[in-house]
Amino acid sequence: MINSIGILKKLIFVALLIFIIHVLLFNTNVITGKEADFYYSIPLLYGLFFLLSAVILIIVTKISEKNFDNTGMVFMIATSIKMVVAFFLVRPILPLEDNKIEKINFFIIFILFLLIETILVAKILNKK
């Protein structure tokens, strides 16, 4: 039996740790003040991707409890939907020429949450 709350606790811990490091990085002298020009703030992106990841992990844990054979497929479908949402979020940022840091920032946050999800779902799949 996989515990949804345990999985979410791991997600919260890792996301919070990465968020603190990310915010501290933007407070260094090298890139201080760059985030003021961002279309989406860093906390907003973390909140959105955290929410999407939490929903995906809850769905995957519920599916793994009821029908374990479909767990991987549900994860792939949910991740594909998340990628579509991320594409629509990044569309206003893509044409911006002067703010490459924001584009890199967006994709790093997206990839970090995708990595966290993949590792946690791999743990769910390996428990069977």
Side-chain angles (χ1 to χ4, degrees):
M1 200 69 135
I2 292 119
N3 186 358
S4 297
I5 295 172
I7 295 288
L8 288 177
K9 283 181 182 178
K10 290 177 185 176
L11 175 66
I12 290 169
F13 175 75
V14 174
L16 192 59
L17 181 67
I18 293 171
F19 174 72
I20 290 169
I21 292 169
H22 199 145
V23 169
L24 289 175
L25 178 68
F26 270 86
N27 287 330
T28 62
N29 291 337
V30 179
I31 46 182
T32 300
K34 295 284 186 180
E35 72 175 294
D37 298 332
F38 283 4
Y39 192 82
Y40 300 114
S41 68
I42 293 173
L44 177 67
L45 286 177
Y46 270 89
L48 288 171
F49 284 119
F50 174 81
L51 184 65
L52 291 171
S53 295
V55 168
I56 288 172
L57 290 172
I58 289 170
I59 291 170
V60 167
T61 54
K62 296 300 178 191
I63 294 296
S64 71
E65 291 171 0
K66 293 183 181 183
N67 190 358
F68 188 79
D69 295 334
N70 292 333
T71 305
M73 186 61 68
V74 168
F75 173 67
M76 290 178 61
I77 291 169
T79 302
S80 298
I81 293 169
K82 178 183 173 182
M83 285 184 188
V84 169
V85 170
F87 172 73
F88 283 110
L89 286 173
V90 79
R91 282 184 72 189
I93 299 171
L94 289 177
L96 300 176
E97 297 272 335
D98 58 340
N99 208 349
K100 291 182 182 182
I101 293 175
E102 184 173 10
K103 294 175 193 174
I104 293 168
N105 184 56
F106 183 91
F107 287 112
I108 286 174
I109 294 171
F110 175 76
I111 290 169
L112 285 172
F113 275 96
L114 184 63
L115 181 65
I116 294 167
E117 284 173 25
T118 304
I119 291 170
L120 291 175
V121 170
K123 287 183 180 186
I124 292 171
L125 291 172
N126 285 335
K127 287 190 177 181
K128 185 72 178 183

